[in-house]
Amino acid sequence: MEVYSGRIKIPLIVLLLSAFAISSTRVGFYKTTCPQAEAIVQYVVQSAVRSNKSYASGFLQMFFHDCFVNGCDASILLDGNLSEKTAATNLRLRGFDVIDAAKSMLETVCPGVVSCADILALATRDSVVQIGGTSWAVPTGRRDGLVSLKSEAESNIPGPKASMDDQIKVFASKGLNVKDLVILVGGHTIGTAACSTFIHRLYNYSNTNGPDPTIDQPFLPHLRTLCPLGGEQATRVALDTNSVNTFDTSFFDNIRSGRGVLETDSMLWTDARTQKYAQRFTKTRRSHQSAFNKMFAKAMVKMSKIELKTGNQGEIRRVCNTINTN
Ligand code: HEM
C-alpha cells in the first residue's frame, strides 16, 4: 500500500517505520550525533562513584523517582519551589552535581544534543556497574520534560507503609508487572533508609505494643539499637544488612530470614504473589546472582521506557536543572 504525500508516493511501511523511529528509544541513538556521549557519562560517573560509593544508590533511587513521575524525562532534576525535588521523598537524593558535570562536558563537545533524561539513565547504569552489577545496553533518545511538580511526586512514589495491593497497583499503572516489582525493589540491595521509615515496626506495630512479628527475633535488637524509641529519626540504616554498597542478591536472603528493614521489603517475602519471584534470587537457588543481574537489567530497561518523550516532545535542555528559556 502507498500513501500520497504531495506528488510523491511513499510506501506505507516507510511511513510507519519512520513514525516508529521517532517515537521510540534505541541503543546507540547518539552514535553519529555525539559518538562520545556514553563514554563521557561513564568517565564522570566512574570517578564520582569511586570517590563515594553512595552515589550509586543515589542515582538508582533518583532514576526510579524520575521514571515514576511523568516518565523518565529528567523532571526530577528541575529546580523550583514546588518541583519534584522538593517532595519529602526526594530531599535526600544526590548526584545532581555529577549529572551537571557530565552535561557541561557534553555541551562543550556536542551542544544541544544529549538529553538530561538520557544522562540520568546512563549514569544509573554506570553507577550500578561500578559497585558490582552487570552492565546492560541503555536505549537512548529520550527528551527532557518541561513540567516538574512536587504533588505528582507525592502521589506516584509508593511510601514505606504501602500495602502490597497498592504497590502492585502503582507498578501496574506504569506498565510494570509483579515480577518487575520484585526485581526492581531488589535495587534495595544498596543504600540506606531513615529510622523514620520503619520505626513503626519496632515498638508498637499496629497498636500491638510489640514489634512487627515478621521481623527476625535476633535482628530486632540490632534495629532497636540503631533506632531507639525517641531517638534521632534521621539516622540511616542499611537496607541490605552487611552489604550496603555491593550490588548482590543478599537482600533477598535477608528478607527471606525476616531481616528486611522496610515493611514493604519484608512483604516481598510474606506475600505469596511476590515470594514466588523473590525465591529465585536467594542463595538456595542455583545461579541466583546471574539470574538477578540479567533480570534486573531487563526490568531497568522496561522501567526506563515509562511514558517516554521522544521525537518533537519536550526538549533537549541546555542545563539539567532548568528548562530552556527560548
Ligand atoms: C514499592 C516500591 C518501593 C518502596 C515502597 C520504596 C521505599 C523506599 C524507602 C522508604 C527508602 C528509604 C528512603 C529514605 O529514608 O531516605 C528507599 C530507598 C531506596 N530505594 Fe526504594 N522503594 C521502592 C522501590 C524502589 C525501586 C524500584 C528502586 C530502584 C530500582 C528503589 C531504589 C532505592 C534505593 C537505591 C534506595 C536507597 C537510597 C539511599 O541510599 O539514599 N526503590 N526506598
Side-chain angles (χ1 to χ4, degrees):
M1 188 183 187
E2 289 168 332
V3 176
Y4 284 90
S5 163
R7 289 173 35 222
I8 309 162
K9 275 193 220 166
I10 304 169
L12 182 62
I13 184 75
V14 172
L15 276 183
L16 288 174
L17 283 175
S18 52
F20 182 74
I22 58 166
S23 64
S24 68
T25 49
R26 64 173 192 275
V27 174
F29 182 84
Y30 298 112
K31 203 170 167 188
T32 51
T33 52
C34 190
Q36 315 90 315
E38 297 209 12
I40 289 175
V41 175
Q42 188 187 44
Y43 168 77
V44 175
V45 170
Q46 272 181 352
S47 30
V49 179
R50 239 180 246 135
S51 73
N52 181 353
K53 286 189 173 166
S54 94
Y55 272 126
S57 51
F59 280 129
L60 187 54
Q61 192 186 30
M62 193 196 292
F63 190 54
F64 164 52
H65 288 198
D66 186 38
C67 292
F68 266 53
V69 184
N70 261 321
C72 313
D73 66 349
S75 51
I76 190 78
L77 303 177
L78 289 173
D79 285 339
N81 287 344
L82 290 174
S83 73
E84 289 170 30
K85 263 182 190 177
T86 66
T89 178
N90 289 332
L91 293 179
R92 258 200 98 255
L93 290 183
R94 56 203 172 277
F96 298 106
D97 53 337
V98 181
I99 299 284
D100 288 346
K103 177 65 170 171
S104 92
M105 283 174 86
L106 286 166
E107 285 300 294
T108 315
V109 183
C110 18
V113 173
V114 183
S115 69
C116 299
D118 280 341
I119 297 175
L120 178 54
L122 294 166
T124 303
R125 186 264 319 265
D126 293 339
S127 66
V128 164
V129 171
Q130 189 68 22
I131 52 156
T134 302
S135 192
W136 64 90
V138 175
T140 41
R142 291 169 195 77
R143 291 175 60 92
D144 298 324
L146 304 171
V147 179
S148 175
L149 293 171
K150 175 187 183 181
S151 56
E152 293 195 0
E154 286 164 351
S155 55
N156 283 281
I157 306 291
K161 292 184 182 175
S163 68
M164 187 48 77
D165 278 355
D166 286 346
Q167 294 177 54
I168 291 174
K169 241 184 253 164
V170 180
F171 275 66
S173 73
K174 308 292 172 190
L176 299 169
N177 58 32
V178 177
K179 185 175 167 192
D180 299 324
L181 185 157
V182 174
I183 295 164
L184 289 168
V185 177
H188 289 169
T189 174
I190 52 172
T192 60
C195 290
S196 58
T197 61
F198 62 89
I199 199 159
H200 66 280
R201 307 181 70 200
L202 306 185
Y203 300 96
N204 185 19
Y205 179 68
S206 294
N207 291 324
T208 56
N209 254 327
D212 179 341
T214 67
I215 301 176
D216 175 45
Q217 281 302 311
F219 189 52
L220 184 62
H222 165 77
L223 291 179
R224 282 182 169 170
T225 306
L226 293 168
C227 303
L229 201 54
E232 179 49 72
Q233 294 287 296
T235 302
R236 309 292 304 177
V237 175
L239 286 164
D240 184 15
T241 306
N242 296 329
S243 170
V244 63
N245 279 323
T246 313
F247 200 85
D248 56 16
T249 51
S250 55
F251 168 78
F252 293 101
D253 295 309
N254 275 329
I255 58 166
R256 177 170 177 259
S257 28
R259 291 169 165 250
V261 172
L262 298 179
E263 186 175 12
T264 45
D265 288 348
S266 72
M267 283 174 197
L268 293 178
W269 197 262
T270 53
D271 193 298
R273 288 170 292 180
T274 43
Q275 191 194 87
K276 66 176 179 195
Y277 299 113
Q279 249 168 6
R280 177 68 189 91
F281 309 122
T282 61
K283 61 178 179 231
T284 60
R285 302 289 287 270
R286 237 173 1 123
S287 58
H288 49 95
Q289 183 68 59
S290 57
F292 179 58
N293 283 338
K294 213 159 116 191
M295 293 193 211
F296 186 77
K298 210 169 148 198
M300 284 295 283
V301 171
K302 195 167 170 189
M303 182 168 86
S304 81
K305 294 184 176 177
I306 296 175
E307 296 164 48
L308 280 182
K309 293 177 182 65
T310 53
N312 310 325
Q313 296 163 315
E315 63 179 9
I316 304 296
R317 276 180 221 149
R318 281 189 281 278
V319 287
C320 290
N321 63 346
T322 334
I323 58 171
N324 298 340
T325 44
N326 55 27

